[in-house]
Amino acid sequence: MTSGPKTRQMFRRAQACMPSGVTSNYRYWGEDTSLVIKKGQGAYIWDYDDNRYLDYRLGFGPNILGHANPVVLDKVREALSMGNVFALTHHYEIEAAERIKQMTGVDLVRFANSGAEATMHAIRIARAYTGRNKIIKFEGQYHGFHDAVMWNTFPPEGSYGYRRSPVAVAQGSGVPRVFADLLHLLPFNDPELLEKKIKEDWGDIACIIMEPIMGNCPSIMPREGYLETVRKLCDEYGIVLIFDEVKTGFRIAKGGAQEYFGVKADLVAYAKALGGGFPIAAIGGIKAIMGEIGYLKIPQGGTYAGNAAATAAACATLDEIAAGALDKVNAHGTQLREGFEEALKRRGVPGFVQGPPSMPAVILTDKEAVYDFREVMETNHELYARVIGRLLEKGVMPEMHPREPLFISSAHSDEDAAWAVSAFDEALGEVME
Ligand SMILES: Cc1ncc(COP(=O)(O)O)c(C=O)c1O
């Protein structure tokens, strides 16, 4: 879909002052297709030609209550009237940390500004605590823009070797090769390979960092018992288990994946839904580890970490989630899942919807299920792109990249779901003609 004239004009202006006209590489869609957004409200966003889109990207997840939620905005305004950054603790910070503890069951919390910061801190804390250096990371998972983890999120076909010994592929240039030496890459959902690797190398493995659901590899769920096995191996070999809940936290359940699956991590990284659209992240965890963070021991901090606006946004967002906002999110997601699967069947397109209702993903494949990144690479990405392209033309906006699920907010209505389902059905019909 090509952008309209006013949007394109704004994009040219953006290109004159920002590389590719964007502030994150993932926002560049193409010379004549990238959008510039004028506003967002509830479940919708508008471009500069006043085209309206039903937004299933939600800024890659954060806007769990929809865009410009008035409860969140009021709380942020209230907080800003007292100033924003003090280099000292303030009450919104305490209140946000108390809510996180209560909802997730972590013992202690530190704040940061982005998911990447949270996973970076969590890895360092794990290394400090264990006195070991290496990390286990799974193919197809994403943990942010820092060197330790910028590997094998969605490497090109044919670049990543054999599944028992994956080749480390950086997500671009500028990531020093030495970081690959600190990494064990493994396929997700394979307990035997994980156990083998741990038995061979446990003496230098500080942590396993994992998205409990593959939020960056179309919402692949863990196999029955897999997370329990990971937990058990970590306990047996003194390895810190880090759940990266940047996408799942406060979205798939009030207490995130720990509650959803009933498996506890040692450290957890939160961001996205935590701030309802404002930049905040948190590292939470058990007291035995988090309690060791401190001056001249384990470093953690940041000038804007725990600022008033962001922590106030978190307080308001978490209160709405505690009061039941996820019920609406889940109902909408269930409606989408059922409608999309019916449409696939009706149109004779092999595929299914996977993942929890708050972040479902459409998989186009003859297989009945997919369990890791390599299997996702064998699904029909070309058809997927054509279907999503048609959806976009109709004003329904999931992410174009097949690794992202759809993100749903409590502002998405039943009518929106019905419309999205009929648009999906029409899109399938058009591409299959
Ligand atoms: C699972 C996961 N971890 C970490 C990050 C990085 O978060 P941020 O973009 O806020 O740095 C992301 C971002 O999409 C993510 O999906």
Side-chain angles (χ1 to χ4, degrees), residues 114-116 119 142-144 211 216 244 246-247 272:
S114 67
T119 61
Y142 178 65
H143 305 293
E211 294 179 78
N216 289 278
D244 178 347
V246 167
K247 278 190 172 165
K272 303 218 186 230

Side-chain angles (χ1 to χ4, degrees), residues 403-418:
R403 79 180 166 91
E404 291 282 338
L406 283 79
F407 288 105
I408 294 161
S409 79
S410 58
H412 285 79
S413 67
D414 290 351
E415 294 74 38
D416 292 332

